[in-house]
Amino acid sequence: MRLEQLNYLIEITRLHSISKAAEILHISQPALSAAVKSLETELGRTLFKRTNKGIFLTAEGERIHEEAAAVLEVIGSWYNKRVDDEPEGEIHLACTPIISCYLTPNIIVPFQKLYPGITIFVHGAQNWDIVGMLKTTSANIALSTLSPNSKLIQQARALDWESLHLFTDERRLFLGAKHPLAAKKKLTAADLKQLNLAWYSDSRDQISHSYAPYFAASFRLANKEDILELVIKNEAVFIQPCHLFRHDYRVLEKLVVERPIPLTEVDPRAEIYALHAPALSGIEKLFWEYLLAQFSCNL
């Protein structure tokens, strides 16, 4: 007798169908029927009876089904970790604000449900701060949205840090939902000359520098909230990676809308990278593997 035969017994009983159980169990129907027949022969008992409404347990089958379920439950408990063996500790991440908005509900919250003993702290950073933060703070993992030719990856590789590409996003224009140009599905370069571009005030924001000449004027502000206040008031527009920024509540509530940027002169790609310092702890390695597997699932 094999343990999988007991699992077959459970699934057929639950579904009242050999064919449906075979589909769920990812085996062929003849193979499942043969496994059941082998179990009945070994036990010397008929376990199932077939009716017009499906396949059902015999009286003897009901007793064996009940005991088989108990056996599988006991065996399953052997593989479950004890509560005091669950991983615990702190993980510190450095990431750009737009990534943190996506990261918290889609990666961090599900991860902490799996590992409630692990606490994750997110430290805001821009890509030009990340190398310094990983060198001088407790953060060992970072995420950033980069231009295709960013120097950050070269810096990380020079330090022998691991860096992996997670996703290629596209920068788009976000404008107030009630803006006159929001009615147009496609903007033109002439339309841009009617708009004011709002961007972060740091002089190292090279992405905004590259777009600014194509707009009527630009506002340099300290944070995203101030920028989006202008956008909602139809006083400015904002350029952001579209897949990431769609998770902002103002997009979800349709206060702002997105449009492709009608320029061939500026590369719209935004490459999302994750990188880490060489020595990760056990729980940091656990989060790193989860991050790589899950990051792009909800984009």
Side-chain angles (χ1 to χ4, degrees):
M1 184 186 301
R2 303 186 309 277
L3 286 177
E4 61 261 31
Q5 288 175 291
L6 300 184
N7 192 42
Y8 296 166
L9 172 65
I10 302 294
E11 283 301 309
I12 294 170
T13 302
R14 182 175 70 87
L15 297 169
H16 302 294
S17 168
I18 292 278
S19 59
K20 290 180 181 178
E23 184 177 350
I24 293 294
L25 294 164
H26 302 292
I27 63 174
S28 69
Q29 184 173 337
L32 181 56
S33 296
V36 171
K37 184 63 176 177
S38 174
L39 182 61
E40 289 179 321
T41 300
E42 184 171 356
L43 295 175
R45 294 171 176 87
T46 300
L47 301 177
F48 292 101
K49 56 185 177 182
R50 289 167 173 78
T51 71
N52 293 333
K53 295 183 179 180
I55 185 169
F56 294 84
L57 290 169
T58 62
E60 192 68 11
E62 288 179 357
R63 181 183 66 80
I64 291 173
H65 171 272
E66 181 177 347
E67 293 176 352
V71 168
L72 292 176
E73 183 177 356
V74 169
I75 292 173
S77 70
W78 296 344
Y79 292 94
N80 291 333
K81 294 181 178 179
R82 291 167 47 211
V83 172
D84 56 3
D85 288 337
E86 290 183 353
E88 59 181 27
E90 294 181 359
I91 297 174
H92 292 260
L93 310 176
C95 65
T96 53
I98 190 172
I99 292 181
S100 67
C101 289
Y102 168 75
L103 203 67
T104 299
N106 293 287
I107 303 296
I108 293 175
V109 170
F111 180 82
Q112 291 189 308
K113 286 182 178 178
L114 288 174
Y115 304 103
I118 299 177
T119 302
I120 299 178
F121 296 92
V122 179
H123 304 272
Q126 297 299 334
N127 58 32
W128 50 81
D129 298 326
I130 283 176
V131 169
M133 289 188 71
L134 293 189
K135 282 183 175 180
T136 60
T137 70
S138 56
N140 279 334
I141 298 174
L143 294 96
S144 186
T145 304
L146 307 171
S147 59
N149 299 314
S150 173
K151 294 181 180 179
L152 175 60
I153 301 305
Q154 284 73 21
Q155 289 177 312
R157 289 171 180 163
L159 291 166
D160 199 28
W161 295 352
E162 184 174 4
S163 60
L164 287 175
H165 179 265
L166 297 178
F167 188 76
T168 298
D169 210 333
E170 177 190 348
R171 290 188 175 87
R172 290 195 173 188
L173 190 74
F174 287 84
L175 67 162
K178 295 182 180 180
H179 193 286
L181 290 176
K184 297 182 66 173
K185 294 299 182 183
K186 291 186 178 181
L187 302 180
T188 66
D191 291 328
L192 300 188
K193 286 298 183 181
Q194 304 176 43
L195 301 171
N196 299 317
L197 176 65
W199 49 292
Y200 294 115
S201 60
D202 197 293
S203 61
R204 289 167 289 187
D205 184 356
Q206 296 300 321
I207 299 300
S208 296
H209 272 298
S210 62
Y211 282 110
Y214 300 95
F215 289 81
S218 61
F219 293 95
R220 297 174 60 180
L221 300 173
N223 58 66
K224 186 180 74 172
E225 299 306 313
D226 290 342
I227 291 173
L228 283 167
E229 185 176 345
L230 289 179
V231 174
I232 293 171
K233 291 179 178 178
N234 300 325
E235 296 176 12
V237 295
F238 194 28
I239 291 176
Q240 286 293 302
C242 64
H243 290 87
L244 283 174
F245 198 62
R246 286 170 186 165
H247 296 266
D248 187 278
Y249 77 90
R250 281 149 292 213
V251 179
L252 296 174
E253 292 181 6
K254 299 181 180 180
L255 299 175
V256 298
V257 296
E258 67 178 81
R259 296 291 180 266
I261 303 171
L263 297 173
T264 57
E265 298 87 340
V266 184
D267 191 338
R269 288 177 297 165
E271 308 291 358
I272 303 171
Y273 275 85
L275 58 151
H276 69 75
L280 291 182
S281 67
I283 61 173
E284 287 172 333
K285 290 178 181 176
L286 195 66
F287 178 79
W288 177 261
E289 292 171 0
Y290 184 86
L291 174 70
L292 299 186
Q294 300 294 324
F295 183 81
S296 62
C297 291
N298 292 315
L299 286 172

